[in-house]
Amino acid sequence: MGLYAAAAAVLAGVESRQGSLKGLVYSSNFQNLKQLYALVCETQRYSAVLDAVIASAGLLRAEKKLRPHLAKVLVYELLLGKGFRGGGGRWKALLGRHQARLKAELARLKVRRGVSRNEDLLQESSKPGQAYQVPRFVRVNTLKTRPEDAIDYFKRQGFSYQGRASSLEDLRTLKGQHFLLDPLLPELLVFPAQTDLHEHPLYRAGHLILQDKASCLPAMLLSPPPGSHVIDACAAPGNKTSYIAALLKNQGKIFAFDQDAKRLAAMATLLARAGVSCCEIAEKDFLTVSPSDQRYSQVQYILLDPSCSGSGMLSRQLEEHGEDTPSKERLRALAGFQQRALCHALRFPSLQRLVYSTCSLCQEENEDVVQEALQHNSGTFRLAPVLPAWPHRGLSTFAGSEHCLRASPETTLTGGFFIAVFERAEVPSPTDQTSNGSRTSQPSPKEKEKTQSSSWCQHAAKHIGTECPTASRTNRAYCGNPALLGRKMTSWHSVSLTGPSPTSQEFFASQIKGKLRSMTDHSFIFNDISKNNLTFILKISAILTGTQSVVGSPGLPSLSSVSTDKCAHTPRLLQDASAGAWIQACCGAEVISSD
C-alpha cells in the first residue's frame, strides 16, 4: 500500500472510530511511520477546508471512483502540502486534470473569508496552539554516548549552546539554533519548538531519543540502581524502557510486557537501536503475570504506564481537534483497568518502589485511581514526596494528593502528564497475632528500644529503594544505610545537600543508593567516623527519613558529648559509649564490633 492509500485508510478508521489516529498509524503496514503520521495529521487539521474546496470543485462528481478520504489526502498534497512525492504516479495525472479548478476554489474561499494565508482558513480549534509552543526535548542515550559529547556535536553543526537553563522562561524563549541543558534532567537537551531531528545522524544511530520531558520523569523517579530487576508493565513503544535501561547501565533485568504485537515489534527495533541488552520483551497481558512466579522474586521496581485516554498528549491537539473530553463510559472502563493493573502490581512481594503514570488529564484516571489503590493497600504502601519544587501538583481530592505530580503545556512546558510514586511503608503492627488469634507476649523495654532505633534505618532503606540489611544477622553492624557511608565519607563529603536544584535530595539519595550497592567490603565501616562525619550522617538521615532535623530530639545524645578521638581511630565502636549511642539512635545501627 502506498503513502496516500495508507493515509486515506487511517483517516477512514479515525472517522469510523476504529481507533486513535496514532494507534492506526502504528498498526498500519506502512514502512515510514513518521512520514505517514505527519501527512495524516496535516490532512486532518485542514479537513474542513479540504471538504469545502472538494465540494465546490465537484471533484467527487467528476471522478466517481475516487474515494472521499483519498481525495482529501491528494488535494491536501496538491494545494497545501509539499507536492506529490515520488513523482505522484497516476494520482498526479488524475489531480492534474482538476488542478486549475481546485486552486481557483481555494482562492475564492480565501476571498470569502477575508484572509490571505492558508493557515488563516483554519478554525481556532485547528490552529497550532500549545502543542507548537512546547520545546523539543531530546534525551541523550547514555548507553551510547555522553551529554557533553552530544553537545559538542551540535556545536560543530552550528548550534549555539546556552548552558543549563535556570528557569522555564529560558526554555520558553528559545529560538533559532540555540539549545539548552534541562535544569532537572542532566541528560536532557532542549531545542526550540518545531525543531525536527528525525533525520539527524545521532538520532538515527540511537544516540538520541526524542522524548518529551514529562515522559522522562517516570523512569527518573523510579531510579533503579544498576543490577536491579524491574518490570515495565505496559512497555510499548519503549522510550521509557530505554531510559530505565540507561539508568541500569544495562546491568540487571527489565521484564517488559505489552499485548500489542506490532507495537512490541517497533519497540524491539527501538531498543536494539538504543543498545539495550538487559530487557526481556514478552507479548503478554500484565494482569496475567503471577506475582508469585520465581522469575520475578527479585523485582523491587515497577513502572506502570497503562493505557489511558491520552487527553494530555500533544498530538491529540492536532489529530482530534474539536473533540469533547472522553465520555464517562470510556473513562470508567479505562479507570477500572488502571485500578486492576495498579493493585496487581502492588502485590509483587519484593516490590519497594512503583511509579504510576498516565498521559491523561482526567481525575478519574489519575487521583481517583491512586486514592483507591492506597485505600486497598493501607499501611503497606504510601505516596513518596517527590520533586518538592515541581510547580504543578495533584488535584486536592484526598490527603496526600500533593505528593502527586501533574504536567501541562501551560505550567511545565511539556505534554500533559500525571505521576504518582508509591513506596513500601513497613509499619509494624502494635500487637502481633499468633496463628490462633491470641496476643503474643509484650516486648521487653530493651527490645522496644532496639525496634525504635532500627526503624530509622528501615525508613531510610525503604525510602531509597533497598532492602533493610537487618534481614541478615551478619549485616547488623551496618544495619542503617546512612551508617554505611562511614568508610567513604571523606570522598562523599563534598556532595551538596542543598542548592538551587529541586531534586538535590532525590539525586543525592540515588547517589547513596548506587554507592551502597557498589560496596562489598564493610569490615572497617566505623573506623573513619569523625565528629564532622557524624554531622554529615545525621543530615543524610534527616533527608532520607523526611525529618527536618534530628538533632535535639528527645533521647538523642548531643553531638558535643561525642568523643571523636577513640571513635575515629579505633576499630571497636563500643570503646566510646556516647558515639555508639548516637549512631544507634540516629542511624539504627546495632552497636557491635566492626572488626
Side-chain angles (χ1 to χ4, degrees):
M1 183 182 291
L3 171 64
Y4 302 126
V10 171
L11 289 173
V14 171
E15 185 174 299
S16 60
R17 296 192 175 275
Q18 295 176 17
S20 70
L21 187 152
K22 193 169 187 178
L24 291 170
V25 168
Y26 267 101
S27 63
S28 72
N29 294 319
F30 193 73
Q31 186 175 7
N32 191 334
L33 296 180
K34 170 185 172 289
Q35 185 185 46
L36 176 61
Y37 182 71
L39 176 59
V40 173
C41 280
E42 287 302 296
T43 303
Q44 181 81 327
R45 196 157 69 96
Y46 280 91
S47 180
V49 174
L50 295 169
D51 285 339
V53 169
I54 291 170
S56 299
L59 178 62
L60 296 179
R61 290 193 302 272
E63 301 289 346
K64 297 186 182 301
K65 293 184 179 180
L66 185 61
R67 308 303 301 166
H69 295 102
L70 180 57
K72 191 179 295 188
V73 172
L74 295 175
V75 172
Y76 168 82
E77 198 76 315
L78 175 69
L79 300 181
L80 306 171
K82 299 179 179 179
F84 289 105
R85 310 173 200 207
R90 64 191 180 102
W91 302 123
K92 184 176 181 180
L94 186 149
L95 266 291
R97 297 197 294 268
H98 306 275
Q99 181 173 347
R101 181 69 182 271
L102 289 167
K103 287 185 175 180
E105 291 301 331
L106 178 63
R108 290 191 185 97
L109 184 62
K110 289 180 181 178
V111 171
R112 287 199 301 270
R113 297 190 181 179
V115 300
S116 58
R117 299 185 308 155
N118 292 334
E119 191 149 301
D120 293 334
L121 291 170
L122 294 172
Q123 298 174 2
E124 286 300 317
S125 61
S126 301
K127 290 182 180 179
Q130 296 168 343
Y132 283 83
Q133 306 309 314
V134 171
R136 163 63 73 185
F137 292 98
V138 181
R139 179 170 60 82
V140 177
N141 177 17
T142 54
L143 291 176
K144 286 198 165 185
T145 190
R146 301 180 305 167
E148 49 266 38
D149 293 334
I151 290 170
D152 288 341
Y153 192 99
F154 279 110
K155 287 165 66 176
R156 290 196 300 271
Q157 288 191 316
F159 286 86
S160 177
Y161 179 54
Q162 305 295 299
R164 182 184 292 274
S166 59
S167 66
L168 284 179
E169 190 59 30
D170 291 343
L171 307 185
R172 187 177 286 110
T173 56
L174 266 179
K175 293 180 180 179
Q177 294 286 93
H178 294 175
F179 73 108
L180 291 159
L181 191 63
D182 184 75
L184 182 61
L185 281 77
E187 58 279 307
L188 197 64
L189 305 179
V190 192
F191 292 82
Q194 300 297 298
T195 302
D196 188 0
L197 298 173
H198 285 91
E199 302 302 323
H200 195 278
L202 290 184
Y203 168 73
R204 295 176 69 88
H207 291 237
L208 301 178
I209 308 291
L210 305 183
Q211 186 174 5
D212 184 68
K213 178 177 178 176
S215 176
C216 293
L217 292 178
M220 185 271 281
L221 292 172
L222 189 66
S223 190
S228 300
H229 284 204
V230 182
I231 283 179
D232 192 348
C234 304
N239 280 338
K240 299 181 186 69
T241 316
S242 69
Y243 194 7
I244 294 173
L247 294 170
L248 291 175
K249 300 179 180 178
N250 262 340
Q251 302 169 23
K253 192 75 171 179
I254 302 174
F255 301 97
F257 302 102
D258 206 280
Q259 296 188 81
D260 192 316
K262 291 183 178 179
R263 282 165 58 87
L264 280 178
M267 174 179 172
T269 301
L270 182 152
L271 296 183
R273 187 175 63 207
V276 175
S277 61
C278 63
C279 185
E280 179 182 300
I281 298 176
E283 183 185 340
K284 194 171 186 178
D285 181 355
F286 174 63
L287 290 173
T288 67
V289 178
S290 173
S292 60
D293 191 322
Q294 285 303 303
R295 285 178 296 176
Y296 315 119
S297 61
Q298 299 181 57
V299 170
Q300 292 185 310
Y301 302 88
I302 293 180
L303 175 60
L304 177 61
D305 188 74
S307 299
C308 68
S309 64
S311 55
M313 293 173 60
L314 296 175
S315 59
R316 292 291 171 91
Q317 297 180 21
L318 300 179
E319 64 187 56
E320 295 180 5
H321 55 268
E323 292 284 332
D324 293 331
T325 56
S327 67
K328 291 295 183 182
E329 293 76 14
R330 183 168 182 239
L331 284 178
R332 276 197 297 269
L334 286 168
F337 163 73
Q338 292 153 357
Q339 182 59 49
R340 291 193 300 275
L342 180 53
C343 287
H344 182 70
L346 294 174
R347 290 175 52 209
F348 282 74
S350 297
L351 180 65
Q352 298 298 319
R353 195 172 181 90
L354 178 146
V355 173
Y356 173 79
S357 62
T358 74
C359 52
S360 168
L361 303 177
C362 302
Q363 175 186 325
E364 293 90 338
E365 300 178 88
N366 297 329
E367 287 86 359
D368 290 356
V369 170
V370 169
Q371 181 181 12
E372 188 170 348
L374 288 171
Q375 291 172 349
H376 288 171
N377 295 272
S378 178
T380 307
F381 286 93
R382 61 189 166 208
L383 289 180
V386 294
L387 301 185
W390 188 259
H392 197 172
R393 316 303 296 189
L395 302 179
S396 300
T397 59
F398 65 93
S401 63
E402 69 277 5
H403 296 323
C404 301
L405 306 180
R406 278 179 169 262
S408 68
E410 303 91 336
T411 59
T412 58
L413 287 182
T414 67
F417 229 79
F418 173 86
I419 302 170
V421 181
F422 290 76
E423 62 180 4
R424 188 175 290 276
E426 297 274 351
V427 181
S429 172
T431 59
D432 294 321
Q433 301 289 328
T434 61
S435 58
N436 62 6
S438 62
R439 287 194 181 188
T440 59
S441 58
Q442 293 296 319
S444 66
K446 186 175 182 180
E447 289 173 329
K448 283 184 178 180
E449 181 180 356
K450 180 177 177 180
T451 300
Q452 185 176 16
S453 67
S454 181
S455 67
W456 282 92
C457 86
Q458 291 177 3
H459 193 141
K462 298 302 181 184
H463 183 80
I464 63 173
T466 61
E467 183 179 356
C468 179
T470 49
S472 170
R473 184 176 182 83
T474 60
N475 288 347
R476 290 181 181 174
Y478 38 97
C479 168
N481 275 337
L484 287 175
L485 299 176
R487 187 165 184 257
K488 297 289 186 182
M489 197 61 66
T490 302
S491 62
W492 296 354
H493 194 69
S494 62
V495 179
S496 173
L497 297 181
T498 59
S501 171
T503 59
S504 58
Q505 295 183 1
E506 286 81 2
F507 172 77
F508 185 67
S510 69
Q511 296 302 300
I512 293 173
K513 176 170 55 179
K515 293 287 187 181
L516 295 179
R517 289 186 176 275
S518 67
M519 291 175 64
T520 57
D521 178 12
H522 305 291
S523 56
F524 299 102
I525 293 166
F526 299 120
N527 289 1
D528 298 324
I529 295 179
S530 66
K531 183 177 292 187
N532 287 339
N533 290 336
L534 289 173
T535 305
F536 191 54
I537 292 176
L538 181 58
K539 290 180 180 179
I540 296 166
S541 300
I543 286 176
L544 296 183
T545 57
T547 58
Q548 295 297 317
S549 176
V550 184
V551 176
S553 298
L556 293 186
S558 75
L559 203 58
S560 60
S561 68
V562 177
S563 170
T564 63
D565 293 337
K566 295 178 182 179
C567 181
H569 302 294
T570 62
R572 296 187 66 82
L573 203 59
L574 285 176
Q575 293 188 20
D576 190 296
S578 60
W582 191 89
I583 291 176
Q584 181 178 20
C586 293
C587 303
E590 187 174 357
V591 184
I592 65 172
S593 170
S594 64
D595 56 4

